Amino acid sequence: MYDCVIVGAGPAGSTAAYHLSKAGRQVLLLDAAKLPRYKPCGGGVSPQVAQWFDFDFAPAISVKVRKVRYTFNMADPIEAELPTEKALWMVRRDEFDYFIVQQAQKQGATLWDGTKAQSIENHGDFWQVNTTQGPAQGRFLIAADGARGSMAKWLGFTQRRYKLAAALEAEPRLEVPSEPVVHFDLGLMQQGYLWNFPKADGYSIGGGVFRSGTQRKQDLRTPVGDYAAAFGVDASTVQHFGHPIFIWDGPQDLHTHRAVLAGEAACVVDPFTAEGIRPSIFSGLKAADAIAQALKEDDHQLLLSKGHQSLADYSQIMNTEWGEEMRWARRLARLVYSAPALAYRAGVKRPSSTLTMVKVFCGEVSYGEVAHRAIQRLSKGLLS
Ligand SMILES: Cc1cc2nc3c(=O)[nH]c(=O)nc-3n(C[C@H](O)[C@H](O)[C@H](O)COP(=O)(O)OP(=O)(O)OC[C@H]3O[C@@H](n4cnc5c(N)ncnc54)[C@H](O)[C@@H]3O)c2cc1C
């Protein structure tokens, strides 16, 4: 009997495993894939995540990038430079995710990789997860199985609030200049953007349609191919991977009896930037705190008839501390993706814009503060 079984060893699950194990709890972390595993992802990570751990991420960062270059429809380029301490982390997800898993193992977490959860059973004061390696039992359960997982459905979250987005990614191995640059293009991909994120030994080139509400099937392959060609990459020779994204779409309960949803299973992705790693890590951290507290409630038999208060608090924390920010992100996304040319001219090209967005990405400035000003400016532009 584990204190907690965590399904999914991405950033959310591995973070929760790390923190719960560090708190002295018995944790089983399981993942369907044999680790390290590939995850379609740009691998752009906010340096803010470092503050939530007490180990050094250096071995898991492929390169840190200070130069950001934007284009609109592949033209009208603009470049910005970031201060050293705000350099963006570019990671390969197989290495990054597995690195956190290994830190959790060092704290005592048990890993079953190559082990798929196939169903769950509620036994009152514990959950049983039936896996391809046999059953596993835990007093609590964290569903961190990402956008493709089934855990939320099995736990009874059949009406989760999210907007479905999609992205396509390829990782060509090419020589990277000594001073790497992060590239974005707005305009060529409707209702989203294209990216080229450098790594030590190549790139992540991809594009996504992120705007909520526009679910007309859009061709991702052509713009990604055209964009890749601009960097000398023949897209037909590189394997592409598509993946759904669960964009945050409003507050909701993320807890149930002795279980919580974390990461993309909790639909945490930013509607404007499609950033999912930082919020997944944040939710993993908060889920671990909540379950550590709930285990104490159990130990001291403080359980009230309403259920574990700390699990309800977890939903509340995610809906306020992350959700409030995402409310603004959604408004910004609506404006920017419906008038990208204006947004590029009046927003992206402003000299201060990149640093401001990076401060949001680093959690130093609230989305609300920035979005409010940006929305006013862009709305004025639209009206005039
Ligand atoms: C193309 C693309 C590009 C992106 N680029 C960025 C970016 O640059 N920066 C950023 O911040 N975010 C980015 N995102 C979003 C980010 O990748 C996700 O939000 C993030 O990976 C979510 O983390 P997670 O831990 O919730 O789930 P995941 O990382 O998806 O991990 C879930 C894990 O659960 C496992 N699993 C699933 N089902 C089961 C099962 N039944 N049993 C056991 N294990 C199971 C899977 O094998 C997987 O390892 C991108 C997304 C896409 C699709």
Side-chain angles (χ1 to χ4, degrees):
M1 175 72 67
Y2 290 90
D3 288 322
C4 185
V5 175
I6 303 172
V7 179
S14 56
T15 298
Y18 177 79
H19 285 284
L20 266 173
S21 305
K22 198 166 161 47
R25 295 302 183 171
Q26 300 300 312
V27 173
L28 173 64
L29 176 62
L30 53 94
D31 201 289
K34 197 92 194 115
L35 303 186
R37 60 93 180 88
Y38 167 77
K39 157 82 175 72
C41 185
V45 181
S46 160
Q48 187 193 7
V49 304
Q51 74 182 46
W52 297 322
F53 298 90
D54 54 2
F55 55 80
D56 183 4
F57 270 94
I61 303 168
S62 185
V63 284
K64 291 186 180 181
V65 184
R66 288 183 52 208
K67 279 207 168 127
V68 186
R69 187 178 157 92
Y70 307 92
T71 49
F72 185 79
N73 251 331
M74 317 285 268
D76 196 11
I78 171 118
E79 213 168 277
E81 193 152 334
L82 305 172
T84 312
E85 74 280 4
K86 293 199 175 39
L88 306 171
W89 296 2
M90 296 290 131
V91 308
R92 286 209 181 273
R93 285 293 301 278
D94 50 353
E95 295 165 1
F96 182 79
D97 294 11
Y98 191 44
F99 180 73
I100 308 176
V101 170
Q102 288 172 316
Q103 305 310 306
Q105 285 178 288
K106 280 188 198 159
Q107 295 297 333
T110 303
L111 172 71
W112 291 4
D113 61 347
T115 304
K116 189 171 183 187
Q118 294 176 306
S119 65
I120 54 173
E121 289 169 28
N122 175 3
H123 287 259
D125 53 3
F126 70 92
W127 283 97
Q128 178 163 309
V129 182
N130 298 314
T131 80
T132 44
Q133 306 289 332
Q137 295 174 341
R139 290 163 68 190
F140 288 86
L141 190 55
I142 299 181
D145 51 344
R148 284 196 167 136
S150 305
M151 286 288 292
K153 200 174 65 203
W154 296 340
L155 283 166
F157 294 88
T158 50
Q159 307 275 318
R160 269 176 304 166
R161 285 182 75 163
Y162 62 86
K163 291 284 186 217
L164 186 62
L168 185 71
E169 198 243 353
E171 296 195 350
R173 304 275 162 158
L174 288 171
E175 207 176 310
V176 176
S178 57
E179 227 192 312
V181 182
V182 162
H183 292 258
F184 292 101
D185 183 86
L186 204 62
L188 192 60
M189 178 73 85
Q190 282 174 31
Q191 311 291 353
Y193 62 79
L194 291 150
W195 72 81
N196 181 358
F197 290 176
K199 307 290 153 71
D201 55 351
Y203 296 92
S204 158
I205 300 183
V209 177
F210 308 129
R211 168 89 195 287
S212 356
T214 49
Q215 290 322 317
R216 195 165 42 91
K217 229 178 174 196
Q218 201 171 310
D219 168 31
L220 299 178
R221 206 164 271 274
T222 308
V224 170
D226 292 347
Y227 192 57
F231 296 94
V233 177
D234 177 357
S236 65
T237 62
V238 193
Q239 203 171 358
H240 288 67
F241 295 90
H243 203 280
I245 303 182
F246 283 7
I247 302 272
W248 183 89
D249 189 40
Q252 60 187 326
D253 277 350
L254 300 172
H255 70 284
T256 180
H257 174 70
R258 290 184 174 270
V260 297
L261 309 182
E264 244 186 277
C267 317
V268 293
V269 178
D270 182 320
F272 180 45
T273 61
E275 181 195 8
I277 298 171
R278 179 172 58 121
S280 293
I281 288 178
F282 179 71
S283 70
L285 171 74
K286 295 299 169 186
D289 287 352
I291 286 176
Q293 189 56 35
L295 283 160
K296 279 191 201 150
E297 288 169 25
D298 263 11
D299 294 345
H300 298 106
Q301 300 187 326
L302 292 175
L303 180 58
L304 304 171
S305 57
K306 280 192 296 196
H308 293 89
Q309 181 56 40
S310 52
L311 302 193
D313 292 346
Y314 166 71
S315 292
Q316 176 72 13
I317 288 169
M318 289 306 297
N319 286 326
T320 50
E321 291 187 27
W322 184 247
E324 272 300 305
E325 285 285 273
M326 294 305 98
R327 203 160 59 85
W328 285 102
R330 188 169 55 175
R331 294 176 72 177
L332 202 52
R334 207 174 294 148
L335 206 65
V336 168
Y337 294 131
S338 57
L342 170 67
Y344 193 76
R345 230 176 27 246
V348 177
K349 287 194 82 175
R350 284 173 69 91
S352 59
S353 289
T354 301
L355 188 56
T356 307
M357 263 321 283
V358 167
K359 282 183 181 167
V360 172
F361 192 60
C362 292
E364 290 174 13
V365 171
S366 96
Y367 236 130
E369 281 170 54
V370 174
H372 188 62
R373 281 202 303 273
I375 287 168
Q376 274 183 331
R377 215 166 28 240
L378 293 181
S379 307
K380 265 189 216 144
L382 273 177
L383 287 174
S384 64

